[in-house]
Amino acid sequence: MSKTCECAYCKNDLTFDIPKEIVQALINQQLVLFAGAGISTETKHIFKETLYEEVFLDLEEKDENISFPDLMSKFCNLNNGKQKLLEKIKKRFDYTHQYSELYEEASKFHKEVSKFWMIDNIITTNWDDHFERECNAIPIVTAEDFAFYNIRQRKVFKIHGSISNYGSIIATKEDYQKCYQSLSTGLIGANLKTLLATKTILFVGYSFRDFDFNKVIELLKEEMGEVFPHFYIVSLDDDFPDTISGLKFTHIKTSGTFFFKSIREHFNNEQLILPDELFETIYDVKYALIEAQAKLHEFYFEKQKNCSVLFSSIYQDGISHAIDYLMFKSKTGESFNPLFILDQMKIYENDIKRRFSKSRNYMEIAYVNGYINGLAIPFFFDEIEDFPFHFIYGLNAVNDEELAYETYEKDIIRHRLSERYGRKYFKEYMEDGSEMILRHRPFL
C-alpha cells in the first residue's frame, strides 16, 4: 500500500514491511492487541487539547514534565476535584458522541480492527467504549466481569476503567498505585500475564514517552522477568525509553489505523478476508429490497392476492433478516470471514432447508431460500441487477421482475403442491377486504 497524501490525517501513514509473525499470529488467532491513547479521543484530531493539556491549563501548572497521574492527583486535591475531573471526562466523551464527525474520527481505528474476527482479546488503558460499540467486545473491567469470560465473544480488558462505570476510572497517582497492585495479585492481572506469556503481543497507540506504556512495561518486566516475550510496537515515536532496554521487540513506524488497513489489504490479496467493496453490495441490496417489498405489498393489496405473492413476500423477509445478520456480525468481523459465511450457508442448505423440504413446509422453504441468498450476497452478486428479489415455486429464485409480476398478475400456478399448501395456510390473508400480509419473523 503506497502513501501519496501529505495531509494532517494521512502524513503518518508510513509504509512498512508486514512481519510474517503478525500475519501468522492473526491466522492462528494468537494475536493480542494492547491499545493506548493514540487511538482514542486523546489525539489532536479530536479536540484542540488533550485532557492532560486541559487540566494543565486549568491548574496553571508550571512543571512541564509532571506525569499524567500526578497532574490528575493535583487537580483532585482541589475542592470537589475528583467530581470535577469525572465531569470533564464525561463532557469530552459526550461531546465526541454528539457530533458524528468527531465520533467517526475517534472510532476509525476500532472499525478497522473490528474486521479481524481473529482478534478476540484486546487490552486497553483507554476509558472509552469504542471497542464495545464498534467491535462488539465484552468489557472486562472488574473481577466480577469474569462471569462473562467463557462466552465465545471478543473481550476487551479495560485495566484503567471505563466510562460505563465512572467510579472505575483510573486517573490519579493513588488510582494507579491501587490499579497496579491489583494487577500484580488479582484475577485480571493473572489472566493478562497468561495472555502475554502465551500469545503474540501488539502495542498500538502508545508513544514511548507515554506514562501508561512505561508503567505497563515495568509491571510486566517485574512480573515476567526473563520470560518476557518478543513483542511488536506500532508507533510513530523513535525515542526508545529505558523501560524497554534489553527487551526483544520490533518497532513498526506508522499509524495504527494504517497498520491494520495494510494488513487487511494483504489478507484481501490472499483471499483470507472479504474486501469492503463486496460487503458494500449488502447495503445496495438492502435498499433495493425495501423498494421491492413496498412494490410487492402494494400489488398485493391493490391488484392481486394469491399464494405466489405471499411466498415471495416471505422469501424477501428471509433476505432482509440475512442482511440484518451480516450487518450485525460485521462488528465481530465474522461477516468478513468467508469460511464463516460459507459454513452458515451450508447449515441452512443442508440441514435446515432439507428438514423443511421433507415435511413439505413451503412457507419455511421460501423463507430459508431468501436467507441463504441474503448470506450469499458478498460472494455471488457483484451487480445488484443479478440479485433475485422474487421467489416462485416451479422457478425458484427469480431476478426477472417482469416474469415474476406476470406470474402474480395472471395467478399462474407453476407448482401445484405449494399452491395447495398456500391455499390451506394463507386462507385468511387472501380473503377479499383483508388488510393483512403475512410477514415472517426472524425465527424458525
Side-chain angles (χ1 to χ4, degrees):
M1 184 179 288
S2 60
K3 183 177 82 71
T4 58
C5 181
E6 291 294 333
C7 74
Y9 290 93
C10 301
K11 67 180 182 180
N12 293 327
D13 294 348
L14 307 177
T15 56
F16 63 95
D17 293 327
I18 299 175
K20 293 179 180 179
E21 294 79 10
I22 292 288
V23 171
Q24 198 58 49
L26 279 168
I27 292 173
N28 295 334
Q29 291 186 271
Q30 292 294 307
L31 186 75
V32 175
L33 173 62
F34 217 122
I39 51 90
S40 73
T41 55
E42 296 304 293
T43 69
K44 293 294 186 179
H45 294 315
I46 312 298
F47 292 102
K48 293 179 180 179
E49 298 97 15
T50 64
L51 176 65
Y52 177 93
E53 291 168 338
E54 185 180 334
V55 173
F56 191 93
L57 292 172
D58 286 349
L59 289 174
E60 298 181 351
E61 177 62 40
K62 304 299 183 184
D63 182 6
E64 295 184 357
N65 295 318
I66 188 171
S67 70
F68 179 90
D70 283 335
L71 183 68
M72 299 304 139
S73 290
K74 195 169 184 179
F75 186 86
C76 287
N77 287 334
L78 303 175
N79 288 334
N80 296 320
K82 184 75 172 193
Q83 178 181 336
K84 290 177 181 177
L85 178 62
L86 293 177
E87 288 174 355
K88 272 184 180 292
I89 295 169
K90 183 179 187 304
K91 183 178 179 181
R92 290 172 72 86
F93 285 122
D94 287 348
Y95 199 84
T96 303
H97 292 153
Q98 181 177 335
Y99 297 102
S100 58
E101 175 185 342
L102 296 180
Y103 183 78
E104 285 299 312
E105 180 62 29
S107 62
K108 65 180 183 180
F109 173 84
H110 310 78
K111 290 176 180 176
E112 197 62 51
V113 169
S114 71
K115 298 161 188 173
F116 292 87
W117 67 90
M118 58 285 281
I119 298 178
D120 52 12
N121 285 296
I122 300 168
I123 307 168
T124 185
T125 50
N126 298 334
W127 305 317
D128 63 63
D129 60 354
H130 298 339
F131 283 118
E132 294 94 304
R133 287 172 175 255
E134 300 302 329
C135 301
N136 199 29
I138 296 175
I140 306 294
V141 183
T142 66
E144 288 76 12
D145 294 329
F146 268 84
F148 301 99
Y149 186 74
N150 288 327
I151 295 176
R152 294 187 63 183
Q153 188 173 327
R154 184 179 279 154
K155 314 291 191 306
V156 55
F157 297 88
K158 312 189 76 167
I159 61 177
H160 285 173
S162 171
I163 59 164
S164 62
N165 180 358
Y166 280 90
S168 69
I169 286 179
I170 305 299
T172 66
K173 179 173 64 176
E174 294 75 21
D175 292 337
Y176 271 77
Q177 288 171 348
K178 291 179 182 178
C179 169
Y180 287 104
Q181 182 179 358
S182 175
L183 286 177
S184 297
T185 59
L187 183 59
I188 293 180
N191 185 71
L192 296 187
K193 281 176 275 188
T194 300
L195 288 176
L196 294 169
T198 59
K199 297 183 182 291
T200 301
I201 307 303
L202 175 69
F203 286 90
V204 182
Y206 294 95
S207 76
F208 295 134
R209 294 178 295 276
D210 191 313
F211 179 88
D212 284 341
F213 175 79
N214 289 321
K215 194 66 180 175
V216 167
I217 293 293
E218 286 177 1
L219 174 70
L220 295 176
K221 283 172 65 177
E222 180 180 335
E223 294 293 322
M224 302 180 72
E226 294 182 358
V227 298
F228 198 106
H230 186 105
F231 59 98
Y232 296 82
I233 306 172
V234 175
S235 173
L236 293 165
D237 213 345
D238 280 324
D239 187 14
F240 301 124
D242 294 337
T243 49
I244 61 174
S245 61
L247 298 179
K248 298 176 182 179
F249 68 94
T250 299
H251 175 216
I252 303 166
K253 189 173 182 179
T254 192
S255 69
T257 303
F258 185 74
F259 174 83
F260 277 102
K261 281 183 178 179
S262 301
I263 298 288
R264 180 162 55 85
E265 184 173 291
H266 173 78
F267 274 44
N268 285 344
N269 293 336
E270 298 295 322
Q271 298 184 329
L272 296 172
I273 194 169
L274 291 175
D276 285 346
E277 294 76 20
L278 286 181
F279 195 80
E280 287 168 4
T281 309
I282 295 170
Y283 293 93
D284 294 336
V285 173
K286 177 182 174 65
Y287 295 121
L289 177 64
I290 293 171
E291 295 180 6
Q293 287 178 307
K295 183 176 179 178
L296 185 66
H297 295 171
E298 182 181 358
F299 177 89
Y300 178 79
F301 286 121
E302 296 185 1
K303 294 186 178 181
Q304 181 70 276
K305 287 181 170 68
N306 59 41
C307 296
S308 294
V309 175
L310 286 172
F311 281 127
S312 243
S313 176
I314 293 166
Y315 165 81
Q316 290 177 350
D317 287 336
I319 300 169
S320 178
H321 294 155
I323 290 173
D324 288 344
Y325 178 81
L326 289 173
M327 292 175 70
F328 177 77
K329 287 293 185 178
S330 67
K331 292 198 172 185
T332 65
E334 289 165 304
S335 293
F336 293 92
N337 181 354
L339 296 179
F340 176 80
I341 301 301
L342 288 171
D343 282 344
Q344 293 298 304
M345 291 172 64
K346 288 178 183 177
I347 291 171
Y348 276 87
E349 183 69 45
N350 298 333
D351 298 338
I352 300 174
K353 182 178 173 182
R354 183 174 295 177
R355 171 161 47 91
F356 289 126
S357 295
K358 285 182 179 179
S359 62
R360 293 185 178 179
N361 188 332
Y362 291 103
M363 181 176 69
E364 299 296 1
I365 294 169
Y367 177 80
V368 171
N369 271 289
Y371 201 90
I372 292 170
N373 281 339
L375 293 178
I377 293 170
F379 294 101
F380 303 116
F381 301 107
D382 294 337
E383 301 294 334
I384 196 169
E385 293 80 9
D386 297 333
F387 190 84
F389 288 102
H390 301 269
F391 184 83
I392 299 170
Y393 278 107
L395 300 175
N396 291 325
V398 175
N399 63 0
D400 186 335
E401 187 177 88
E402 186 176 333
L403 174 62
Y405 275 94
E406 179 186 6
T407 302
Y408 305 146
E409 192 160 9
K410 295 180 180 179
D411 198 9
I412 300 172
I413 299 173
R414 302 182 185 275
H415 190 272
R416 294 193 178 277
L417 288 177
S418 63
E419 181 69 17
R420 191 182 306 162
Y421 175 98
R423 288 183 180 181
K424 179 180 178 181
Y425 290 99
F426 302 157
K427 187 176 180 180
E428 64 176 312
Y429 295 95
M430 294 193 293
E431 291 176 352
D432 291 340
S434 172
E435 295 296 323
M436 299 185 298
I437 189 166
L438 182 60
R439 301 302 301 269
H440 197 297
R441 298 185 69 203
F443 300 103
L444 286 171

